[in-house]
DNA sequence: CCTACCGATCGGTAGG
DNA sequence: CCTACCGATCGGTAGG
């Protein structure tokens, strides 16, 4: 009918590109994204695809944003109703485990993969990844501080130490799920979380 | 003098290739290794370089072996004199922290980077990485079991859970060192280890 | 170990 | 969004 594509069509195409890119990047890395491959899998031309972003680096940055949106929706977005303090912190961590357990992305946690890939480089992509990690730590910090102020965690809790340990639990979970395909890994993650956040 | 290179020369050249490759791979990934770049940085031809390995995949497998040799030398190799049991386990973990703290490789832990890069793929490289991880877990398991049998760890110690937690500490250490360049990270790792293996 | 080459693919652009 | 193209680089080979 209409020979001219609408802005809504363009947005939809852009979203299709990002969805596919995020899946590929989680499994094979942000550098494994190539314009030619994406275009072929989506049945469009390289130029048409690149027109949505301009450069490969802009595409990578858009994928980082998309990954953050998915994570936001699947982890903190799922526990907004949880009561403030330690219960919220526990709910967020459980949603985090569940997110990895459900294999929302084919390659596991995008941020773990991309961070390991880019932490030795410089540039906007690395900076964007570091920024997302910092935002997430700030979220965790807020919940931990509240739990402390509510008396649900000991007053001498070392907040940064707890963030360190929680991240370690999640990195190990991703490792055992992705490399070993160990179905016991989520159980281990939950046990560690119970130990860190007070069993039960 | 001698127009003909000796077998010893060839071995030395091979070692130079592997040393450079391991450094690059730790920082930029095993796929970031390209024959052309290596040849240029070493002042030799691509064909000359490739002659030592045959294919890029064979080079990648050789780099995995080289990484294992370095790790073996720098971690378990440094604590061979430590007494058996919990003290040995603690010494190994301390050597592990120290290995990352000293930045033996420019990009941090090669296995962390390479595992995150290849865990979503198939093939010999992924298998080799999984095998190295399994060997290392076996080492840890032996030390943990001894510590339990010596009565230095509780008799109901969940060995696989402890291995999971120890790996999490190291993955978090690598993350905070490489992405955040956080100088407090080794201290946090040691605190977590003390908590897992009994303080002091 | 080298030179000289191969086909394929990379990111990106011109022009429509 | 397309076709048609660019120079650069990829892994690898032939032949010495």
């Amino acid at each position: 009918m209409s020979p001219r594509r609408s802005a809504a069509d363009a947005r939809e195409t852009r979203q299709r590109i990002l969805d596919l890119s995020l899946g590929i990047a989680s499994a094979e890395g942000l550098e494994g994204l190539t314009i030619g491959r994406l275009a072929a899998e989506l049945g469009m031309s390289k130029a048409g695809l690149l027109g949505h972003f301009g450069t490969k680096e802009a595409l990578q940055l858009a994928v980082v944003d998309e990954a953050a949106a998915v994570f936001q929706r699947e982890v903190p977005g799922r526990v907004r109703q949880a009561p403030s303090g330690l219960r919220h912190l526990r709910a967020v961590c459980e949603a985090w485990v569940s997110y990895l357990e459900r294999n929302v992305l084919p390659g596991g946690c995008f941020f773990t993969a991309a961070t390991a890939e880019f932490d030795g480089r410089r540039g906007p992509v690395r900076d964007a990844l570091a920024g997302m990690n910092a935002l997430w730590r700030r979220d965790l910090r807020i919940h931990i501080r509240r739990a402390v102020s509510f008396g649900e965690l000991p007053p001498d809790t070392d907040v940064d130490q707890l963030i360190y340990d929680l991240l370690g639990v999640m990195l190990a979970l991703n490792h055992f799920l992705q490399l070993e395909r160990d179905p016991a890994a989520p159980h281990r993650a939950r046990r560690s979380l119970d130990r860190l956040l007070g069993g039960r």
Side-chain angles (χ1 to χ4, degrees), chain A residues 13 75 95 103 133 141:
Chain A
T13 300
V75 180
N103 261 301
N133 272 283
R141 185 171 286 111

Side-chain angles (χ1 to χ4, degrees), chain A residues 104-196:
Chain A
V104 174
L105 297 178
C109 181
F110 165 82
F111 284 103
T112 300
T115 292
E117 187 180 4
F118 277 81
D119 64 11
R121 313 187 190 188
R122 289 160 185 239
V125 177
R126 188 215 139 95
D127 295 345
L129 290 167
M132 295 298 179
N133 272 283
L135 273 181
W136 178 237
R137 284 200 306 276
R138 201 190 60 167
D139 252 39
L140 287 177
R141 185 171 286 111
I142 288 171
H143 295 308
I144 294 170
R145 284 211 178 120
R146 269 190 204 140
V148 171
S149 76
F150 292 170
E152 298 168 327
L153 285 176
D156 66 342
T157 297
D158 183 333
V159 178
D160 287 318
Q161 181 74 37
L162 184 50
I163 292 172
Y164 178 97
D165 288 329
L166 291 175
L167 187 68
V169 171
M170 296 309 164
L171 290 173
L173 174 56
N174 197 65
H175 175 96
F176 278 98
L177 280 177
Q178 297 306 315
L179 186 67
E180 320 290 345
R181 313 230 170 270
D182 180 353
H187 172 70
R188 301 233 166 80
R190 292 189 172 98
R191 279 198 53 183
S192 296
L193 291 174
D194 280 348
R195 187 173 41 77
L196 289 167

Side-chain angles (χ1 to χ4, degrees), chain A residues 54-113:
Chain A
T55 66
K56 174 168 177 174
E57 185 173 273
L59 166 64
Q60 290 176 324
L61 289 169
V63 171
V64 172
D65 279 340
E66 178 66 16
V70 170
F71 186 83
Q72 188 69 27
R73 186 183 73 217
E74 297 289 334
V75 180
R78 288 199 165 212
V79 298
R80 253 184 260 120
Q81 79 297 350
S84 196
L86 183 60
R87 281 166 299 182
H88 203 106
L89 179 59
R90 281 213 195 105
V92 162
C93 289
E94 168 54 30
W96 200 358
V97 172
S98 163
Y99 171 68
L100 292 174
E101 191 177 25
R102 282 178 291 135
N103 261 301
V104 174
L105 297 178
C109 181
F110 165 82
F111 284 103
T112 300

